[in-house]
Amino acid sequence: MSRFVVNGGKRLCGEVEVQGAKNSALPILSATVLTRGENILYNCPKLSDVDASLRILRYLGCDAKEQNGAVLVNCDGLCENEIPDCLMREMRSSIVFLGAILSRTGSAKLSFPGGCELGPRPIDLHLKALRKMGAKISERHGVLQCRAENGLKGAKINLSFPSVGATENIILAAVLADGTTTIINAAREPEICDLCDFLNCAGAKIYGAGEGVIVIDGVTELNAVSHNIIPDRIVAATLMSAAAVTKGDITLSGVIQNHLSSVIPVFEETGCQVNVKDGNMKFSAPERLNPMPLVRTMPYPGFPTDAQAPLMAVASICNGTSVFVENIFENRFKHVGELTRLGADIQVQSKVAVVNGVKSLYGACVEAQDLRGAAALITAALIAEGKTEISGIEFLERGYENFEIVLSSLGAEVRKV
Ligand code: UD1
């Protein structure tokens, strides 16, 4: 188990490139199952979740490796249609392999992903949609057994909530299905668009990605492609948070401004200056931050649930009160107790957190309990007086590539021990 030791109070300055998006890389790695030949993925972040996906691909019989900074995946040799429990448990998003494996082999057996650190994460919308496409699914003893021996059929699917994972699974099941699939109330996240760009480049016919209605005309085969994964908007928001708390002045390269359209105004309201030009974001923070406007997490293009925790660390030292409403996950305030140990003043009632900004935070031993919560604790530690030790770094490493090196290159004093 590794820990981060942070000596707070160092102003962040300098330039870093934003890593590739985890939430694009994982569904795209699942999508390779549907292709013939060798795919080359550039800008694929080095993360434990990506590693888990590569191990699933290898277990299925695919050739998946890293070479010269790219990830190469060839699924011609796929010979398994089952993901063992130990691999499913490593990563909740392994459920996006379901649509792809079912489509490729006509059956799939996966253990039920169950709950996770964010609370219950049901997959009823995924299963309902696959059933509508002709899959027979049984759920027994925590195992999902799915069959579509005669292939999947296009269908009209109305999602009651624009679930990211369900939209991805339906797209993966539909691209090689017989006929046309229409997803109504589809998720509009940039990572959905990236998945569709990958698949369209491979020969799929997907229309409307990024909009509420996606139409997919099934094709008979997909070929391998080279693809550049989009930059990670949540890592960008975390680095902006780190610069904000330290009164920093940083440049982030490889940023797509539109992907941050709900995040940038929150920082601007606190008095930070944000300028994006040609994919470079210049970000500078004032001496004292104003409180944030009401932050309500929503499906894209609303404020992302994944950015809630790091921004709450910023709010904890703003000059006034900020309010957060978490609308996506039940259990996404686990960082609050630990931020309080660092001196933050935060009250939580159900899905609302009221953050009364304090003048300063102080170092303490804290424990991360989920990925974005870990990012929040590190952000707070960067400004806490003295030394902060953060355990639970394995959560951070699911989504942030070499984060201690990235922060150190900007002048932070962070060591991994
Ligand atoms: C969610 C986020 C996504 C983020 C990811 C990782 C949203 C809308 N989605 O995606 O941006 O990158 O977490 O942290 O913010 N739900 C059901 N039944 C289902 C599927 C989902 O009830 O079958 C519910 C979930 O319990 C949750 C909500 O829908 O309350 C959002 O779920 P979903 O978008 O599927 O989550 P992820 O795909 O994990």
Side-chain angles (χ1 to χ4, degrees):
M1 294 288 165
S2 40
R3 282 172 297 137
F4 270 15
V5 180
V6 182
N7 270 319
K10 303 280 183 284
R11 183 169 180 256
L12 296 199
C13 292
E15 180 168 345
V16 284
E17 188 171 349
V18 177
Q19 69 178 61
K22 168 180 88 85
N23 291 338
S24 275
L26 303 181
I28 288 173
L29 285 168
S30 311
T32 61
V33 162
L34 301 170
T35 63
R36 303 285 169 173
E38 186 167 74
N39 295 278
I40 308 177
L41 302 180
Y42 298 106
N43 206 26
C44 187
K46 289 188 185 59
L47 304 168
S48 53
D49 272 11
V50 167
D51 203 53
S53 291
L54 297 180
R55 274 184 283 127
I56 290 176
L57 286 167
R58 284 185 210 118
Y59 181 88
L60 296 173
C62 311
D63 190 12
K65 60 187 178 221
E66 283 175 62
Q67 198 172 294
N68 302 331
V71 169
L72 274 47
V73 186
N74 185 327
C75 294
D76 290 351
L78 185 136
C79 54
E80 266 293 339
N81 57 10
E82 186 177 334
I83 303 180
D85 192 51
C86 57
L87 285 173
M88 279 302 287
R89 276 181 194 279
E90 273 193 46
M91 181 182 59
R92 201 261 173 195
S93 35
S94 46
I95 192 66
V96 288
F97 275 97
L98 177 60
I101 297 176
L102 184 61
S103 166
R104 166 89 186 248
T105 69
S107 70
K109 193 173 164 196
L110 274 63
S111 62
F112 208 84
C116 76
E117 60 272 14
L118 304 181
R121 291 179 84 169
I123 54 163
D124 54 310
L125 301 175
H126 304 229
L127 302 186
K128 198 172 157 196
L130 293 174
R131 283 189 173 113
K132 208 159 176 206
M133 295 178 74
K136 301 264 176 289
I137 305 176
S138 67
E139 305 164 52
R140 271 192 212 106
H141 309 297
V143 175
L144 284 170
Q145 181 88 53
C146 310
R147 286 188 196 289
E149 276 102 357
N150 300 323
L152 292 161
K153 308 266 178 292
K156 189 169 170 187
I157 293 157
N158 228 315
L159 289 176
S160 55
F161 182 89
S163 154
V164 176
T167 303
E168 289 165 349
N169 247 330
I170 300 165
I171 291 169
L172 292 170
V175 279
L176 291 174
D178 181 18
T180 299
T181 300
T182 305
I183 313 174
I184 296 159
N185 200 22
R188 297 160 63 189
E189 268 70 358
E191 294 78 15
I192 298 279
C193 298
D194 204 20
L195 170 67
C196 293
D197 284 347
F198 170 86
L199 287 165
N200 280 340
C201 200
K205 290 195 171 148
I206 309 171
Y207 310 97
E211 294 166 25
V213 178
I214 297 180
V215 177
I216 304 144
D217 286 332
V219 296
T220 49
E221 59 174 31
L222 296 175
N223 296 310
V225 290
S226 297
H227 181 80
N228 213 357
I229 288 170
I230 58 167
D232 195 310
R233 61 198 167 102
I234 307 302
V235 171
T238 307
L239 289 166
M240 292 160 81
S241 302
V245 292
T246 61
K247 309 182 184 77
D249 190 345
I250 63 168
T251 301
L252 301 178
S253 57
V255 167
I256 300 177
Q257 182 169 9
N258 280 350
H259 296 178
L260 291 160
S261 60
S262 61
V263 171
I264 291 172
V266 178
F267 281 104
E268 285 176 332
E269 191 92 8
T270 66
C272 294
Q273 295 208 345
V274 188
N275 286 301
V276 188
K277 203 175 161 208
D278 303 330
N280 289 316
M281 175 190 282
K282 291 205 177 301
F283 182 97
S284 63
E287 265 306 298
R288 194 85 170 98
L289 296 159
N290 299 322
M292 293 178 180
L294 178 64
V295 175
R296 285 180 300 170
T297 66
M298 304 284 267
Y300 190 85
F303 188 91
T305 174
D306 284 348
Q308 175 256 107
L311 266 86
M312 193 179 290
V314 180
S316 71
I317 54 138
C318 285
N319 192 18
T321 299
S322 309
V323 177
F324 290 74
V325 183
E326 173 54 58
N327 290 310
I328 307 294
F329 291 113
E330 272 176 33
N331 203 358
R332 216 164 192 186
F333 285 143
K334 282 190 173 170
H335 45 284
V336 167
E338 301 298 286
L339 285 175
T340 307
R341 284 173 81 105
L342 297 172
D345 176 358
I346 307 172
Q347 316 295 326
V348 172
Q349 178 124 40
S350 168
K351 58 181 190 169
V352 179
V354 178
V355 187
N356 294 308
V358 293
K359 281 222 163 65
S360 53
L361 300 173
Y362 39 83
C365 287
V366 288
E367 186 182 354
Q369 292 169 59
D370 61 52
L371 164 60
R372 306 301 170 186
L377 295 179
I378 291 159
T379 304
L382 291 173
I383 193 57
E385 285 167 17
K387 188 168 88 173
T388 300
E389 286 199 21
I390 305 157
S391 55
I393 289 304
E394 62 280 6
F395 288 112
L396 184 84
E397 292 177 341
R398 289 186 39 213
Y400 294 81
E401 178 178 330
N402 295 329
F403 208 46
E404 74 283 15
I405 297 173
V406 171
L407 290 172
S408 300
S409 76
L410 292 171
E413 218 179 297
V414 185
R415 269 184 311 126
K416 184 172 157 183
V417 293

